[in-house]
Each structure stands twice: as C-alpha cells, then as structure tokens.
Amino acid sequence: MRWNIGLAYLAALLGCVSEGFAADTITVRDGETGFTFSEYQAAFVIGQAIKFRVAVPSPAPDKFDLVFQIIAPTAVGWTGLAWGASMVNNPLTIGWASGSTPVISVRRTSVRTQPQIYDGATVQLLKTGTRVNGTHWQVTAKCSGCSSFSTTGSTTKNLNANGSNRLAFAYSKTRPNSASTAAMISVHDVYNYWDHDFSTAGNPDFDQLVKNNS
Ligand code: HEM
Ligand SMILES: *[C@@H]1O[C@H](CO)[C@@H](O)[C@H](O)[C@H]1NC(C)=O
Ligand SMILES: *[C@@H]1O[C@H](CO)[C@@H](O)[C@H](O)[C@H]1NC(C)=O
C-alpha cells in the first residue's frame, strides 16, 4: 500500500518517531515540575486536544507508582483516563475544575453506568502543576494502584513501565457541579483509545520530584 509507505516515510523524515510506530505518544520534559513525561494529545472536538502525560520511576518495580498530568482546555467539563483501556473493570481517574478548584476522583465500575468511588487506587494531587486559569485546568497527581490492578475475578493487569500500554479516555462537555470526589458525572460525549509509550517516561529521580512538587 503506497499510501502507508508514504506516510511512514514522511513521519520518519519529520522525525516524529524515534522508536518505530508502536506508540502514539511524544516525550516532553515539563520545566515546571521537572518530570519527563510521555504525552498523548487526545482530540475531543475538531481542533482541540486534551494532553495526557505519564511519568514513571526508572528503574521501575513490578508495581510502580506513576505520576500523571492532565492538561485540559476550559471546554472540557470532565475527562477521565482508563488505565486498562476499558470503561469497565479498571481504575478510572477523572478530573474536572470546580470553579478554581481542580478535582481528581478515582472511580470504577463493572457495568456501563456512572462509575462509583474506588479506593483500590489512590491519588495524591501535587501542588506544582495543578491549577485552573482562564483557558485551562490542569492536574498533576501521583497514583498508587493505576499501574497494577485486578480486572475480573483473580486476573491482575500489570502495565509495562518499559513499553507501550493501551489506555483510553472519555470526555464530557458537562462539568460536575461540585468539588466532591463523589460528585455526579454525566455520560461522555467522546471516548477513544491509544498506545502510550511508558519506556520514554522514565525518571531516575522520581521520588525526589514527587517530594519537590508536593
Ligand atoms: C455517568 C458516567 C458514564 C456513563 C453513563 C457511561 C456509559 C457508557 C456507555 C453506555 C457506553 C457504551 C457506549 C456504546 O456502546 O456506544 C460507554 C462506553 C465507554 N465508556 Fe463510559 N460511561 C460513563 C463514564 C465513563 C468514564 C468515567 C470513562 C473513563 C474514564 C468511560 C469510558 C468509556 C469507554 C472507554 C467506553 C468504550 C467501551 C469500553 O471500552 O468499555 N465512561 N460508556
Ligand atoms: C528500561 O530498560 C532499560 C534497559 O534495561 C533500563 O535501563 C531502564 O531503567 C528501564 N526503564 C524503566 C522505566 O524501568
Ligand atoms: C493556563 O494554563 C495552561 C495549562 O496549564 C498553560 O499552558 C497556560 O500557559 C496558562 N495561561 C496563563 C496565562 O498562565
């Protein structure tokens, strides 16, 4: 297929990809927090994207904590990351802006109805890199339990700290009407999936960076 070869050739020429075509992410160093993240830009309407960023310790233990960042234009009512690339049976980290307060809520569900609070994963919002301003809201948070979790029955899913992981997001234009982590959230307008390369997201000074930004 000449079309595909053409695209790959163009991408290589532009230097879009350094590690083949497995992942949909780029690597960024965030000057504000000091973390190196791999970043996916998720289009939620034509011409606008939410940035989902992941940073991991390097080297990483089997069950590793990670830091994620969500940078969302004000038009985003709520957005969530599904760490197992599905609406069901995995931790969902959902963020929104309640006035000037950024909120993160961890939810889970086994059916496709409003996910309920889930305490099998915990998030700690980092002070630096978390804000609401006139154009965006942004959260930076450490998660324990996002990289390793049970799915159904006794099945455990471990994300690969040194490879590509399938993730999903959902977006709604409707803002939850409170800063409570248990706030009602309405159904999404858009969802999608991508391959997120964690191998370029390693941070040798992970613990120190978490401390510095807390
Ligand atoms: C009130 C809240 C929610 C409701 C009522 C809801 C409902 C639904 C329904 C009915 C579907 C099936 C759509 C179809 O087949 O066309 C679906 C799919 C999906 N939802 Fe939700 N949802 C909610 C929240 C969320 C959240 C918070 C996330 C992730 C952070 C999410 C992620 C997804 C994904 C990725 C799919 C695609 C199917 C799959 O991968 O499981 N949803 N949702
Ligand atoms: C990935 O593998 C390389 C080589 O084995 C290692 O040096 C690096 O620390 C690993 N990265 C993570 C995030 O574990
Ligand atoms: C508002 O926040 C966004 C996301 O953090 C940032 O990129 C932008 O520079 C901020 N705008 C101002 C005026 O500080």
Side-chain angles (χ1 to χ4, degrees), residues 65-70 81 83 91-96 102-107 117-126 130 139-147 181 210 214:
D65 290 347
L66 54 79
V67 165
F68 67 92
Q69 200 167 57
I70 301 174
L81 249 172
W83 293 95
L92 309 170
T93 50
I94 301 164
W96 65 90
V103 183
I104 279 284
S105 172
V106 187
R107 310 277 180 109
I117 291 275
Y118 173 62
D119 63 10
T122 52
V123 290
Q124 174 199 346
L125 268 179
L126 303 185
T130 298
V139 292
T140 305
K142 178 177 119 173
C143 183
S144 306
C146 287
S147 77
T181 54
V210 168
S214 293

Side-chain angles (χ1 to χ4, degrees), residues 16-17 31 35 58 88 93 106 110 120 122 137 160 163 171 175 178-179 193-196 198 200-201 205-207:
C16 295
V17 267
F35 283 104
S58 175
V88 295
T93 50
V106 187
S110 59
T122 52
W137 57 267
N160 182 357
Y171 144 84
R175 203 169 295 281
S178 109
Y193 310 91
W194 71 96
D195 293 319
H196 202 111
F198 284 30
T200 60
D205 47 355
F206 184 87
D207 291 339

Side-chain angles (χ1 to χ4, degrees), residues 56-61 64 160-163 198-204:
V56 300
S58 175
F64 55 94
N160 182 357
N162 224 336
F198 284 30
S199 75
T200 60
N203 289 259

Side-chain angles (χ1 to χ4, degrees), residues 1 8 12 18 59 63 81 90 95 112 126 133 137 150 159 164 168 171 177 182-183 194 200 205:
M1 295 188 48
S18 54
K63 295 184 180 182
L81 249 172
N90 69 150
R112 291 188 176 89
L126 303 185
N133 67 20
W137 57 267
S150 67
L159 300 189
S164 193
Y171 144 84
N177 64 8
W194 71 96
T200 60
D205 47 355

